[in-house]
Amino acid sequence: MKRRDFLKTTAAVAGASVASRLGFSQNITEPGAQPNVIFILVDELRWPSVFPIGTDSAEDYFKRFMPNLYKHIWKRGVKFSNYHTAACACTPARGTIITGLYSHQSWLITTILNNPNLPVLNPAFPTFGKLLQAAGYKTPYFGKWHVSVPSGPADTAPYGFDWNSPPDPTGSNLQGTYGDFNDTPQFHNDAYTTNQAVNYLQNVKTNDAPFFLTIGYVNPHDREFFPAGTEFLTYTDLFADYNKNKPTSAQLAQFTDYTTTPPIVDWNTNKLKSPPPFGYSFLPDNWQNPNHYAAFNKPTTHTFIQQFQAAIWGGITPDPFQFGFRVTPYGNGNLTFGTGVAPFYYWQRGLDSYTQITKIVDEEIGDVLDQLHKLPQSVIDNTVIIFASDHGEYSGSHGLVQGKIGTVYEEATHIPLIVMDPSGRFTDDTNTIRTGLCSSVDLLNMFVTLGHKGDTTWLTRYPYDQIYNNRHDMYSMLKSRWAPGRSYLLFATDEIAPDFYNFNGAPTNILALRTDDTKVGVYADWKPHSVDIDPTTVQLEFYDYSTKAGQLELFSHPNAPRAQEGYEALINNYLPNELAAPLPGNPLDPNSLRAQQIKAEIAHVAFRDFIKNQPDSTWQKGNGLRLLLGYGGPF
């Protein structure tokens, strides 16, 4: 992308729907009834890019390891191979899908737990639930929600959804596979969510109002806990043995003892502790030794995130000659925490674990879709199925054992999206994969336009004309393989990490500008008590996708001219005009969207400052305020 293309006068111009301008969106209302929609949202499934022997494409991967998805959705659906999340982690990613707002517009940028004191999604914002209810839809929602702390349907009604499975299955260790709704407190698993969805579908009648059913699965999120959570007894025993004969001053604490964190899983029947081999290579093609990040010009945040995640969820040695488990000090060795480090072959084992858990969630998807196909044919033919993930998972790439935060890597952002319409009214050219860039921030527009049978009149009404006018027209991409994708993507991930854990003082507010051929990552800290970037903390990351190394994101070129051009465009244009664009309304009117946006921003900044400025003693024993964050839990 040339400099003049980076520096448009406003992001609204740069981001306006190319498809609409070229005439692909004709505002034609399709005949027939409004479609029912089943939206299946899984957690932490990346676009397949690492394959075992006998598999060499995303289609092969889904056909082999997610046969229900492949049979019911992929084969007859529109496949988006360049779809990306606009935010990480779980809460920001889901907030973007639900509202169609960037995380820096809703200020839902912190993963929340079941604590109402945390900054949650402001119910004043538009959601696809509200917009579809206004179009005559029922909007049931089952399973993982994770944008507020609901205790029942009344708590999600202001968001436009009937949410019927409290408490929220946010994703504790092994919850997707083994959560037990008989526990106190309850930890619903994915099977429970499936049962709720099946029960709903069993009561659907042919003359009912149209429904938009959202099914939120936890898995394959259980993979994030590999290996310290999936093999919890191994790691707890490891730390016990390490500390057994050491004086208290020399002992290292396990960050989280997963033998004691609910849901409690029986070690003997825990199949996730021993994933079967699927034939993966020892390492992904873009694996990197974390000790060599600096030599590859990686931002210092990568070192912090890699070690932090390893301390929480388990580490793996980069040394091929380490064959046993070890405990090493965390960070610079000044803290009382240690990291359990698995032997080298666990890099391969991690890929097996990811595939194992992916297969498990596919079984749940199959149960729901089998029930759909028991309904009257008229209902089946009028039900569109949409499958997506909220964000990706590293699973060993770049030496990151697990997770999705703290970088702008493709493994975190590049995720699947498939739309299957059995009637053929809303999709065409299903044999041609859509390769154009598109974003999770565009999904709301597609959902609501689908609910209006292609009519986009709703986009001309205030305030939606001002909020969503620069979102991409993904509905046109459903209709035609010739409809283009975006010219760029915007991404943000903002981590709250007390200085106590941030041993190398790494910046934790991260933005990215992605085009077809480049990616610029901006790592920075905010100035105190604000969301303004401190330019003295900025570190850049740049990849050129015209090269193989660039495609693998191995060697960053932060000093390349296009890196600086992208940074200037992102900070001076895309951030103020799109990524953090003000919502419409008078900021002095407390009921306006703009006033509510400011309120959400203040709440988040206050929470960040509160966490960041706590003394080290607050965090020393691994409890207290740490319980307000997702570390070791549903992050």
Side-chain angles (χ1 to χ4, degrees), residues 179-201:
D180 185 352
F181 53 84
N182 293 318
D183 285 347
T184 304
Q186 297 171 347
F187 286 87
H188 297 158
N189 58 18
D190 283 345
Y192 183 83
T193 296
T194 294
N195 288 338
Q196 289 198 306
V198 166
N199 289 338
Y200 180 85
L201 291 172

Side-chain angles (χ1 to χ4, degrees), residues 498-500 609-619 625:
D499 291 341
F500 176 75
D609 286 347
F610 174 71
I611 293 295
K612 187 175 180 62
N613 293 319
Q614 292 301 305
D616 289 354
S617 59
T618 301
W619 312 99
L625 292 179

Side-chain angles (χ1 to χ4, degrees), residues 286 298 398 543-557:
N286 61 354
K298 303 295 185 176
H398 303 287
Y543 300 108
D544 180 353
Y545 293 140
S546 68
T547 69
K548 181 65 174 179
Q551 293 167 13
L552 293 175
E553 299 179 327
L554 292 174
F555 198 98
S556 173
H557 298 271

Side-chain angles (χ1 to χ4, degrees), residues 78-203:
V78 173
K79 283 77 69 173
F80 293 84
S81 67
N82 228 337
Y83 171 72
H84 294 249
T85 182
C88 281
C90 290
T91 297
R94 288 164 182 269
T96 297
I97 293 170
I98 290 170
T99 64
L101 302 174
Y102 288 101
S103 58
H104 284 215
Q105 289 185 291
S106 69
W107 292 107
L108 187 71
I109 66 178
T110 302
T111 294
I112 62 174
L113 302 182
N114 291 323
N115 188 316
N117 296 314
L118 298 176
V120 302
L121 180 63
N122 190 324
F125 296 146
T127 68
F128 73 78
K130 292 180 186 179
L131 287 163
L132 288 169
Q133 283 184 350
Y137 275 80
K138 296 179 180 178
T139 55
Y141 195 116
F142 301 110
K144 182 166 178 172
W145 168 252
H146 215 180
V147 296
S148 67
V149 188
S151 59
D155 295 330
T156 50
Y159 297 100
F161 298 97
D162 299 319
W163 192 84
N164 296 302
S165 58
D168 189 355
T170 49
S172 296
N173 182 41
L174 309 191
Q175 181 174 2
T177 305
Y178 287 113
D180 185 352
F181 53 84
N182 293 318
D183 285 347
T184 304
Q186 297 171 347
F187 286 87
H188 297 158
N189 58 18
D190 283 345
Y192 183 83
T193 296
T194 294
N195 288 338
Q196 289 198 306
V198 166
N199 289 338
Y200 180 85
L201 291 172
Q202 286 175 337
N203 291 293

Side-chain angles (χ1 to χ4, degrees), residues 82 84 410 437 487-489 512-516 518-519 545:
N82 228 337
H84 294 249
E410 291 286 286
L437 294 172
S487 59
Y488 65 88
L489 298 168
L513 171 62
R514 165 82 150 83
T515 67
D516 283 321
T518 62
K519 178 187 287 179
Y545 293 140

Side-chain angles (χ1 to χ4, degrees), residues 511 522 533 538 565-577:
L511 306 175
V522 178
I533 289 175
V538 169
E565 292 170 7
Y567 167 68
E568 292 175 4
L570 185 54
I571 300 306
N572 297 325
N573 175 33
Y574 293 106
L575 179 61
N577 295 317

